[in-house]
């Protein structure tokens, strides 16, 4: 199978025995809009907040994010297959920073996994992918702690983070954001944190 992403420069590349090569690429708002739109349009992605948007609207959102220095979007590819949308951000430049005490070295993460393939979910697959992403975020970007803010109703995501070694923080209400380029409704979120030493001791 040819790799349509082979010509794109990876920010991070990790080869894992029995899992394959995971590459973290800067998201191309136009080229990747079709893939991302398919993912965010599914019922399971309701907490991502983009169901009902057109492919063009999704492209516009990520084109706007591409102009920011505090928020970044990435496409995660495993062996030529796109497998996740990763967003990283500086918590102090985001609404989550109003809801907890930001520490130096913190980084915020949003992660949307691709739907399972025709063969269905594979045991341990998500854990290996999340570990590869965490390696990029914590070691590649030299950060001390990841913060995530899933919706309190997104029990599946919360359970997945806790299994990965995250520690549950407080339940908070993220304030509404109503700007010319961005609208985010108020959100009740379960904060969770992952210290670098938990996954990568020493």
């Amino acid at each position: 199978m040819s790799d349509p992403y082979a010509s794109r420069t990876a920010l991070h590349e990790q080869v894992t025995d029995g899992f394959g090569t995971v590459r973290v690429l800067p998201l191309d708002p136009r080229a990747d809009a079709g893939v991302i739109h398919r993912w965010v349009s599914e019922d399971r992605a309701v907490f991502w907040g983009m169901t009902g948007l057109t492919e063009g609207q999704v492209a516009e959102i990520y084109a706007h994010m591409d102009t920011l220095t505090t928020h970044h979007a990435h496409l995660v590819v495993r062996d030529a297959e796109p497998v996740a949308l990763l967003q990283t951000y500086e918590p102090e430049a985001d609404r989550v920073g109003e809801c907890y005490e930001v520490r130096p070295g913190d980084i915020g993460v949003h992660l949307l996994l691709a739907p399972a393939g025709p063969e269905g979910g594979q045991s341990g697959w998500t854990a290996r992918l999340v570990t590869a992403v965490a390696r990029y975020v914590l070691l590649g970007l030299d950060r001390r702690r990841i913060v995530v803010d899933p919706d309190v109703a997104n029990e599946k995501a919360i359970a997945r983070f806790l299994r990965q070694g995250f520690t549950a923080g407080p339940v908070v209400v993220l304030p509404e954001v109503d700007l010319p380029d961005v609208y985010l409704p108020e959100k009740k979120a379960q904060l969770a944190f992952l210290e670098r030493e938990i996954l990568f001791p020493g």
Side-chain angles (χ1 to χ4, degrees):
M1 180 177 66
S2 64
D3 182 353
Y5 303 98
S7 63
R8 288 166 61 173
T9 302
L11 300 170
H12 176 76
E13 184 169 313
Q14 179 181 331
V15 180
T16 304
D17 286 345
F19 188 66
T21 301
V22 174
R23 301 170 72 228
V24 179
L25 311 175
L27 187 79
D28 183 323
R30 300 294 166 196
D32 299 329
V35 170
I36 301 305
H37 179 253
R38 279 199 308 276
W39 294 352
V40 301
S41 297
E42 296 187 346
D43 288 344
R44 67 182 188 92
V46 63
F47 295 113
W48 202 257
M50 291 188 183
T51 47
L53 296 187
T54 66
E55 184 177 319
Q57 288 171 319
V58 169
E60 285 173 16
I61 286 170
Y62 286 103
H64 170 69
M65 188 178 293
D66 205 30
T67 67
L68 305 177
T69 58
T70 54
H71 294 63
H72 303 283
H74 313 80
L75 188 70
V76 184
V77 176
R78 171 185 171 245
D79 292 345
E81 280 292 320
V83 291
L85 169 61
L86 167 68
Q87 292 175 201
T88 59
Y89 61 92
E90 303 299 336
E92 64 270 21
D94 190 88
R95 60 182 179 167
V96 75
E98 300 176 38
C99 301
Y100 86 104
E101 190 174 335
V102 180
R103 288 190 207 158
D106 279 1
I107 187 167
V109 163
H110 295 139
L111 184 66
L112 178 66
L113 301 178
E119 68 281 1
Q122 300 170 19
S123 177
W125 190 95
T126 299
R128 287 172 148 194
L129 183 67
V130 172
T131 299
V133 167
R135 181 176 291 276
Y136 164 64
V137 172
L138 290 169
L139 301 183
L141 299 179
D142 191 24
R143 297 305 184 102
R144 304 300 311 176
R145 187 172 68 155
I146 293 172
V147 55
V148 293
D149 60 358
D151 191 293
V152 288
N154 193 354
E155 296 173 357
K156 192 172 180 180
I158 294 168
R160 184 171 68 232
F161 285 127
L162 296 180
R163 282 196 304 273
Q164 285 289 133
F166 281 75
T167 300
V171 171
V172 300
V173 176
L174 303 182
E176 177 187 59
V177 175
D178 192 1
L179 299 172
D181 294 306
V182 181
Y183 175 75
L184 297 170
E186 185 179 270
K187 170 178 150 183
K188 191 174 185 183
Q190 169 67 66
L191 297 189
F193 303 91
L194 180 65
E195 305 274 353
R196 184 161 77 183
E197 289 73 20
I198 297 294
L199 271 191
F200 310 109

